[in-house]
PDB file of all heavy atoms in Angstrom:
ATOM      1  N   ILE B  11      15.143   0.047  -3.233  1.00  0.00           N
ATOM      2  CA  ILE B  11      15.104   1.044  -4.302  1.00  0.00           C
ATOM      3  C   ILE B  11      13.760   1.732  -4.326  1.00  0.00           C
ATOM      4  O   ILE B  11      12.669   1.090  -4.476  1.00  0.00           O
ATOM      5  CB  ILE B  11      15.327   0.382  -5.634  1.00  0.00           C
ATOM      6  CG1 ILE B  11      16.682  -0.322  -5.604  1.00  0.00           C
ATOM      7  CG2 ILE B  11      15.270   1.277  -6.819  1.00  0.00           C
ATOM      8  CD1 ILE B  11      17.092  -1.149  -6.770  1.00  0.00           C
ATOM      9  N   ASN B  12      13.728   3.068  -3.973  1.00  0.00           N
ATOM     10  CA  ASN B  12      12.504   3.794  -3.925  1.00  0.00           C
ATOM     11  C   ASN B  12      11.663   3.854  -5.270  1.00  0.00           C
ATOM     12  O   ASN B  12      10.470   3.739  -5.154  1.00  0.00           O
ATOM     13  CB  ASN B  12      12.860   5.177  -3.426  1.00  0.00           C
ATOM     14  CG  ASN B  12      13.215   5.193  -2.020  1.00  0.00           C
ATOM     15  OD1 ASN B  12      13.113   4.281  -1.149  1.00  0.00           O
ATOM     16  ND2 ASN B  12      14.039   6.299  -1.581  1.00  0.00           N
ATOM     17  N   THR B  13      12.357   4.088  -6.233  1.00  0.00           N
ATOM     18  CA  THR B  13      11.665   4.380  -7.592  1.00  0.00           C
ATOM     19  C   THR B  13      10.838   3.014  -7.972  1.00  0.00           C
ATOM     20  O   THR B  13       9.746   3.130  -8.398  1.00  0.00           O
ATOM     21  CB  THR B  13      12.675   4.715  -8.652  1.00  0.00           C
ATOM     22  OG1 THR B  13      13.604   3.682  -8.862  1.00  0.00           O
ATOM     23  CG2 THR B  13      13.354   5.917  -8.387  1.00  0.00           C
ATOM     24  N   VAL B  14      11.289   1.999  -7.797  1.00  0.00           N
ATOM     25  CA  VAL B  14      10.690   0.758  -8.008  1.00  0.00           C
ATOM     26  C   VAL B  14       9.429   0.508  -7.139  1.00  0.00           C
ATOM     27  O   VAL B  14       8.388   0.089  -7.561  1.00  0.00           O
ATOM     28  CB  VAL B  14      11.554  -0.519  -8.126  1.00  0.00           C
ATOM     29  CG1 VAL B  14      10.793  -1.840  -8.381  1.00  0.00           C
ATOM     30  CG2 VAL B  14      12.664  -0.337  -9.135  1.00  0.00           C
ATOM     31  N   ALA B  15       9.709   0.738  -5.881  1.00  0.00           N
ATOM     32  CA  ALA B  15       8.574   0.488  -4.868  1.00  0.00           C
ATOM     33  C   ALA B  15       7.436   1.503  -5.209  1.00  0.00           C
ATOM     34  O   ALA B  15       6.189   1.190  -5.057  1.00  0.00           O
ATOM     35  CB  ALA B  15       9.043   0.780  -3.418  1.00  0.00           C
ATOM     36  N   ALA B  16       7.816   2.741  -5.576  1.00  0.00           N
ATOM     37  CA  ALA B  16       6.757   3.728  -5.956  1.00  0.00           C
ATOM     38  C   ALA B  16       5.992   3.249  -7.204  1.00  0.00           C
ATOM     39  O   ALA B  16       4.772   3.384  -7.383  1.00  0.00           O
ATOM     40  CB  ALA B  16       7.325   5.103  -6.280  1.00  0.00           C
ATOM     41  N   GLU B  17       6.719   2.717  -8.167  1.00  0.00           N
ATOM     42  CA  GLU B  17       6.163   2.198  -9.411  1.00  0.00           C
ATOM     43  C   GLU B  17       5.272   1.064  -9.251  1.00  0.00           C
ATOM     44  O   GLU B  17       4.098   1.004  -9.708  1.00  0.00           O
ATOM     45  CB  GLU B  17       7.331   1.900 -10.436  1.00  0.00           C
ATOM     46  CG  GLU B  17       6.781   1.318 -11.708  1.00  0.00           C
ATOM     47  CD  GLU B  17       7.892   0.880 -12.618  1.00  0.00           C
ATOM     48  OE1 GLU B  17       9.095   1.032 -12.369  1.00  0.00           O
ATOM     49  OE2 GLU B  17       7.639   0.273 -13.692  1.00  0.00           O
ATOM     50  N   VAL B  18       5.590   0.089  -8.275  1.00  0.00           N
ATOM     51  CA  VAL B  18       4.812  -1.119  -8.036  1.00  0.00           C
ATOM     52  C   VAL B  18       3.541  -0.695  -7.325  1.00  0.00           C
ATOM     53  O   VAL B  18       2.450  -1.094  -7.655  1.00  0.00           O
ATOM     54  CB  VAL B  18       5.696  -2.021  -7.182  1.00  0.00           C
ATOM     55  CG1 VAL B  18       4.767  -3.208  -6.654  1.00  0.00           C
ATOM     56  CG2 VAL B  18       6.834  -2.644  -8.082  1.00  0.00           C
ATOM     57  N   ALA B  19       3.659   0.289  -6.374  1.00  0.00           N
ATOM     58  CA  ALA B  19       2.505   0.725  -5.681  1.00  0.00           C
ATOM     59  C   ALA B  19       1.480   1.422  -6.519  1.00  0.00           C
ATOM     60  O   ALA B  19       0.318   1.325  -6.346  1.00  0.00           O
ATOM     61  CB  ALA B  19       3.102   1.729  -4.427  1.00  0.00           C
ATOM     62  N   ASN B  20       1.952   2.162  -7.458  1.00  0.00           N
ATOM     63  CA  ASN B  20       1.164   2.904  -8.405  1.00  0.00           C
ATOM     64  C   ASN B  20       0.509   1.840  -9.255  1.00  0.00           C
ATOM     65  O   ASN B  20      -0.672   2.090  -9.633  1.00  0.00           O
ATOM     66  CB  ASN B  20       1.886   4.000  -9.189  1.00  0.00           C
ATOM     67  CG  ASN B  20       1.061   4.781 -10.042  1.00  0.00           C
ATOM     68  OD1 ASN B  20       0.092   5.421  -9.593  1.00  0.00           O
ATOM     69  ND2 ASN B  20       1.355   4.718 -11.351  1.00  0.00           N
ATOM     70  N   GLU B  21       1.231   0.805  -9.568  1.00  0.00           N
ATOM     71  CA  GLU B  21       0.639  -0.221 -10.446  1.00  0.00           C
ATOM     72  C   GLU B  21      -0.451  -1.055  -9.727  1.00  0.00           C
ATOM     73  O   GLU B  21      -1.510  -1.160 -10.504  1.00  0.00           O
ATOM     74  CB  GLU B  21       1.826  -1.189 -10.822  1.00  0.00           C
ATOM     75  CG  GLU B  21       1.418  -2.193 -11.903  1.00  0.00           C
ATOM     76  CD  GLU B  21       2.595  -3.119 -12.332  1.00  0.00           C
ATOM     77  OE1 GLU B  21       3.810  -2.682 -12.062  1.00  0.00           O
ATOM     78  OE2 GLU B  21       2.400  -4.223 -12.715  1.00  0.00           O
ATOM     79  N   VAL B  22      -0.400  -1.437  -8.584  1.00  0.00           N
ATOM     80  CA  VAL B  22      -1.405  -2.140  -7.895  1.00  0.00           C
ATOM     81  C   VAL B  22      -2.402  -1.226  -7.159  1.00  0.00           C
ATOM     82  O   VAL B  22      -3.474  -1.740  -6.876  1.00  0.00           O
ATOM     83  CB  VAL B  22      -0.818  -3.145  -6.892  1.00  0.00           C
ATOM     84  CG1 VAL B  22       0.172  -4.073  -7.476  1.00  0.00           C
ATOM     85  CG2 VAL B  22      -0.120  -2.425  -5.647  1.00  0.00           C
ATOM     86  N   GLY B  23      -2.048  -0.034  -7.004  1.00  0.00           N
ATOM     87  CA  GLY B  23      -2.992   0.950  -6.462  1.00  0.00           C
ATOM     88  C   GLY B  23      -2.599   1.183  -5.013  1.00  0.00           C
ATOM     89  O   GLY B  23      -2.547   0.307  -4.138  1.00  0.00           O
ATOM     90  N   PRO B  24      -2.464   2.525  -4.523  1.00  0.00           N
ATOM     91  CA  PRO B  24      -2.133   2.875  -3.076  1.00  0.00           C
ATOM     92  C   PRO B  24      -3.195   2.358  -2.149  1.00  0.00           C
ATOM     93  O   PRO B  24      -2.886   2.021  -1.055  1.00  0.00           O
ATOM     94  CB  PRO B  24      -1.996   4.385  -3.238  1.00  0.00           C
ATOM     95  CG  PRO B  24      -1.753   4.673  -4.627  1.00  0.00           C
ATOM     96  CD  PRO B  24      -2.268   3.691  -5.487  1.00  0.00           C
ATOM     97  N   ALA B  25      -4.436   2.336  -2.676  1.00  0.00           N
ATOM     98  CA  ALA B  25      -5.555   1.911  -1.649  1.00  0.00           C
ATOM     99  C   ALA B  25      -5.403   0.516  -1.387  1.00  0.00           C
ATOM    100  O   ALA B  25      -5.684   0.101  -0.158  1.00  0.00           O
ATOM    101  CB  ALA B  25      -6.911   2.138  -2.380  1.00  0.00           C
ATOM    102  N   ARG B  26      -4.922  -0.272  -2.227  1.00  0.00           N
ATOM    103  CA  ARG B  26      -4.667  -1.653  -1.972  1.00  0.00           C
ATOM    104  C   ARG B  26      -3.463  -1.933  -1.000  1.00  0.00           C
ATOM    105  O   ARG B  26      -3.558  -2.734  -0.081  1.00  0.00           O
ATOM    106  CB  ARG B  26      -4.367  -2.599  -3.243  1.00  0.00           C
ATOM    107  CG  ARG B  26      -4.311  -3.941  -3.092  1.00  0.00           C
ATOM    108  CD  ARG B  26      -4.479  -4.866  -4.344  1.00  0.00           C
ATOM    109  NE  ARG B  26      -4.615  -6.225  -4.044  1.00  0.00           N
ATOM    110  CZ  ARG B  26      -5.134  -7.090  -4.949  1.00  0.00           C
ATOM    111  NH1 ARG B  26      -5.558  -6.644  -6.057  1.00  0.00           N
ATOM    112  NH2 ARG B  26      -5.221  -8.320  -4.573  1.00  0.00           N
ATOM    113  N   VAL B  27      -2.465  -1.203  -1.217  1.00  0.00           N
ATOM    114  CA  VAL B  27      -1.299  -1.095  -0.188  1.00  0.00           C
ATOM    115  C   VAL B  27      -1.865  -0.813   1.237  1.00  0.00           C
ATOM    116  O   VAL B  27      -1.553  -1.356   2.116  1.00  0.00           O
ATOM    117  CB  VAL B  27      -0.260  -0.190  -0.703  1.00  0.00           C
ATOM    118  CG1 VAL B  27       0.817  -0.040   0.377  1.00  0.00           C
ATOM    119  CG2 VAL B  27       0.287  -0.601  -2.077  1.00  0.00           C
ATOM    120  N   ALA B  28      -2.631   0.349   1.272  1.00  0.00           N
ATOM    121  CA  ALA B  28      -3.168   0.647   2.533  1.00  0.00           C
ATOM    122  C   ALA B  28      -4.068  -0.513   3.135  1.00  0.00           C
ATOM    123  O   ALA B  28      -4.028  -0.707   4.387  1.00  0.00           O
ATOM    124  CB  ALA B  28      -4.075   1.964   2.472  1.00  0.00           C
ATOM    125  N   ASP B  29      -4.835  -1.202   2.309  1.00  0.00           N
ATOM    126  CA  ASP B  29      -5.681  -2.197   2.818  1.00  0.00           C
ATOM    127  C   ASP B  29      -4.922  -3.365   3.356  1.00  0.00           C
ATOM    128  O   ASP B  29      -5.121  -3.916   4.382  1.00  0.00           O
ATOM    129  CB  ASP B  29      -6.548  -2.698   1.706  1.00  0.00           C
ATOM    130  CG  ASP B  29      -7.409  -3.965   2.117  1.00  0.00           C
ATOM    131  OD1 ASP B  29      -8.335  -3.643   2.926  1.00  0.00           O
ATOM    132  OD2 ASP B  29      -7.229  -5.051   1.579  1.00  0.00           O
ATOM    133  N   VAL B  30      -3.784  -3.712   2.744  1.00  0.00           N
ATOM    134  CA  VAL B  30      -2.920  -4.688   3.229  1.00  0.00           C
ATOM    135  C   VAL B  30      -2.266  -4.331   4.621  1.00  0.00           C
ATOM    136  O   VAL B  30      -2.350  -5.039   5.591  1.00  0.00           O
ATOM    137  CB  VAL B  30      -1.823  -5.050   2.270  1.00  0.00           C
ATOM    138  CG1 VAL B  30      -0.756  -6.036   2.928  1.00  0.00           C
ATOM    139  CG2 VAL B  30      -2.324  -5.735   0.912  1.00  0.00           C
ATOM    140  N   ALA B  31      -1.829  -3.061   4.678  1.00  0.00           N
ATOM    141  CA  ALA B  31      -1.212  -2.641   5.909  1.00  0.00           C
ATOM    142  C   ALA B  31      -2.280  -2.708   7.064  1.00  0.00           C
ATOM    143  O   ALA B  31      -1.933  -3.159   8.236  1.00  0.00           O
ATOM    144  CB  ALA B  31      -0.695  -1.296   5.780  1.00  0.00           C
ATOM    145  N   ARG B  32      -3.569  -2.203   6.751  1.00  0.00           N
ATOM    146  CA  ARG B  32      -4.558  -2.260   7.801  1.00  0.00           C
ATOM    147  C   ARG B  32      -4.920  -3.644   8.257  1.00  0.00           C
ATOM    148  O   ARG B  32      -5.046  -3.907   9.413  1.00  0.00           O
ATOM    149  CB  ARG B  32      -5.783  -1.440   7.203  1.00  0.00           C
ATOM    150  CG  ARG B  32      -6.889  -1.238   8.171  1.00  0.00           C
ATOM    151  CD  ARG B  32      -8.152  -0.667   7.558  1.00  0.00           C
ATOM    152  NE  ARG B  32      -7.873   0.546   6.652  1.00  0.00           N
ATOM    153  CZ  ARG B  32      -7.921   0.425   5.353  1.00  0.00           C
ATOM    154  NH1 ARG B  32      -8.250  -0.611   4.681  1.00  0.00           N
ATOM    155  NH2 ARG B  32      -7.597   1.573   4.607  1.00  0.00           N
ATOM    156  N   ARG B  33      -4.992  -4.582   7.229  1.00  0.00           N
ATOM    157  CA  ARG B  33      -5.327  -6.023   7.546  1.00  0.00           C
ATOM    158  C   ARG B  33      -4.294  -6.615   8.423  1.00  0.00           C
ATOM    159  O   ARG B  33      -4.673  -7.332   9.239  1.00  0.00           O
ATOM    160  CB  ARG B  33      -5.467  -6.742   6.216  1.00  0.00           C
ATOM    161  CG  ARG B  33      -6.212  -7.935   6.263  1.00  0.00           C
ATOM    162  CD  ARG B  33      -6.153  -8.832   5.155  1.00  0.00           C
ATOM    163  NE  ARG B  33      -5.967  -8.094   3.872  1.00  0.00           N
ATOM    164  CZ  ARG B  33      -5.186  -8.448   2.935  1.00  0.00           C
ATOM    165  NH1 ARG B  33      -4.563  -9.676   2.962  1.00  0.00           N
ATOM    166  NH2 ARG B  33      -5.020  -7.762   1.731  1.00  0.00           N
ATOM    167  N   LEU B  34      -2.995  -6.296   8.299  1.00  0.00           N
ATOM    168  CA  LEU B  34      -1.966  -6.877   8.991  1.00  0.00           C
ATOM    169  C   LEU B  34      -1.808  -6.172  10.409  1.00  0.00           C
ATOM    170  O   LEU B  34      -1.055  -6.695  11.280  1.00  0.00           O
ATOM    171  CB  LEU B  34      -0.712  -6.886   8.199  1.00  0.00           C
ATOM    172  CG  LEU B  34      -0.418  -8.045   7.468  1.00  0.00           C
ATOM    173  CD1 LEU B  34      -1.585  -8.244   6.401  1.00  0.00           C
ATOM    174  CD2 LEU B  34       0.906  -7.965   6.789  1.00  0.00           C
ATOM    175  N   GLY B  35      -2.472  -4.991  10.706  1.00  0.00           N
ATOM    176  CA  GLY B  35      -2.389  -4.416  12.041  1.00  0.00           C
ATOM    177  C   GLY B  35      -1.910  -2.988  12.107  1.00  0.00           C
ATOM    178  O   GLY B  35      -1.772  -2.465  13.102  1.00  0.00           O
ATOM    179  N   ILE B  36      -1.747  -2.260  11.012  1.00  0.00           N
ATOM    180  CA  ILE B  36      -1.308  -0.915  11.045  1.00  0.00           C
ATOM    181  C   ILE B  36      -2.588  -0.062  11.145  1.00  0.00           C
ATOM    182  O   ILE B  36      -3.387   0.015  10.316  1.00  0.00           O
ATOM    183  CB  ILE B  36      -0.561  -0.567   9.765  1.00  0.00           C
ATOM    184  CG1 ILE B  36       0.541  -1.411   9.519  1.00  0.00           C
ATOM    185  CG2 ILE B  36      -0.123   0.885   9.927  1.00  0.00           C
ATOM    186  CD1 ILE B  36       1.580  -1.440  10.656  1.00  0.00           C
ATOM    187  N   ALA B  37      -2.772   0.593  12.357  1.00  0.00           N
ATOM    188  CA  ALA B  37      -4.054   1.198  12.639  1.00  0.00           C
ATOM    189  C   ALA B  37      -4.174   2.545  11.991  1.00  0.00           C
ATOM    190  O   ALA B  37      -5.353   2.838  11.691  1.00  0.00           O
ATOM    191  CB  ALA B  37      -4.183   1.367  14.155  1.00  0.00           C
ATOM    192  N   ASN B  38      -3.152   3.287  11.777  1.00  0.00           N
ATOM    193  CA  ASN B  38      -3.301   4.661  11.305  1.00  0.00           C
ATOM    194  C   ASN B  38      -3.354   4.845   9.832  1.00  0.00           C
ATOM    195  O   ASN B  38      -2.580   5.551   9.215  1.00  0.00           O
ATOM    196  CB  ASN B  38      -2.102   5.485  11.878  1.00  0.00           C
ATOM    197  CG  ASN B  38      -2.354   6.942  11.782  1.00  0.00           C
ATOM    198  OD1 ASN B  38      -3.615   7.398  11.898  1.00  0.00           O
ATOM    199  ND2 ASN B  38      -1.393   7.780  11.625  1.00  0.00           N
ATOM    200  N   MET B  39      -4.222   3.859   9.137  1.00  0.00           N
ATOM    201  CA  MET B  39      -4.317   4.109   7.734  1.00  0.00           C
ATOM    202  C   MET B  39      -5.523   4.769   7.315  1.00  0.00           C
ATOM    203  O   MET B  39      -6.461   4.994   8.094  1.00  0.00           O
ATOM    204  CB  MET B  39      -4.418   2.594   7.151  1.00  0.00           C
ATOM    205  CG  MET B  39      -3.068   1.814   7.186  1.00  0.00           C
ATOM    206  SD  MET B  39      -1.891   2.428   6.053  1.00  0.00           S
ATOM    207  CE  MET B  39      -0.692   3.273   7.184  1.00  0.00           C
ATOM    208  N   PRO B  40      -5.471   5.341   5.995  1.00  0.00           N
ATOM    209  CA  PRO B  40      -6.767   6.100   5.545  1.00  0.00           C
ATOM    210  C   PRO B  40      -7.894   5.165   5.499  1.00  0.00           C
ATOM    211  O   PRO B  40      -7.788   3.907   5.329  1.00  0.00           O
ATOM    212  CB  PRO B  40      -6.292   6.490   4.168  1.00  0.00           C
ATOM    213  CG  PRO B  40      -4.849   6.579   4.127  1.00  0.00           C
ATOM    214  CD  PRO B  40      -4.477   5.491   5.016  1.00  0.00           C
ATOM    215  N   GLU B  41      -9.029   5.712   5.697  1.00  0.00           N
ATOM    216  CA  GLU B  41     -10.261   5.060   5.783  1.00  0.00           C
ATOM    217  C   GLU B  41     -10.580   4.359   4.329  1.00  0.00           C
ATOM    218  O   GLU B  41      -9.855   4.858   3.289  1.00  0.00           O
ATOM    219  CB  GLU B  41     -11.452   5.848   6.074  1.00  0.00           C
ATOM    220  CG  GLU B  41     -11.415   6.326   7.461  1.00  0.00           C
ATOM    221  CD  GLU B  41     -11.615   5.158   8.600  1.00  0.00           C
ATOM    222  OE1 GLU B  41     -12.204   4.189   8.189  1.00  0.00           O
ATOM    223  OE2 GLU B  41     -11.050   5.425   9.726  1.00  0.00           O
TER     224      GLU B  41
END
């Protein structure tokens, strides 16, 4: 469900989501 994922990401902060992805190996994340 897209709306809930967007709501949760906004709740914890998009920067934190990017940090998790970067930490697990996703290279093309914002600095």
Side-chain angles (χ1 to χ4, degrees):
I11 299 174
N12 290 342
T13 57
V14 176
E17 180 183 354
V18 170
N20 188 58
E21 184 176 340
V22 302
R26 184 159 192 165
V27 174
D29 177 69
V30 169
R32 189 186 306 109
R33 198 188 332 143
L34 269 61
I36 306 300
N38 195 34
M39 286 291 103
E41 296 293 332

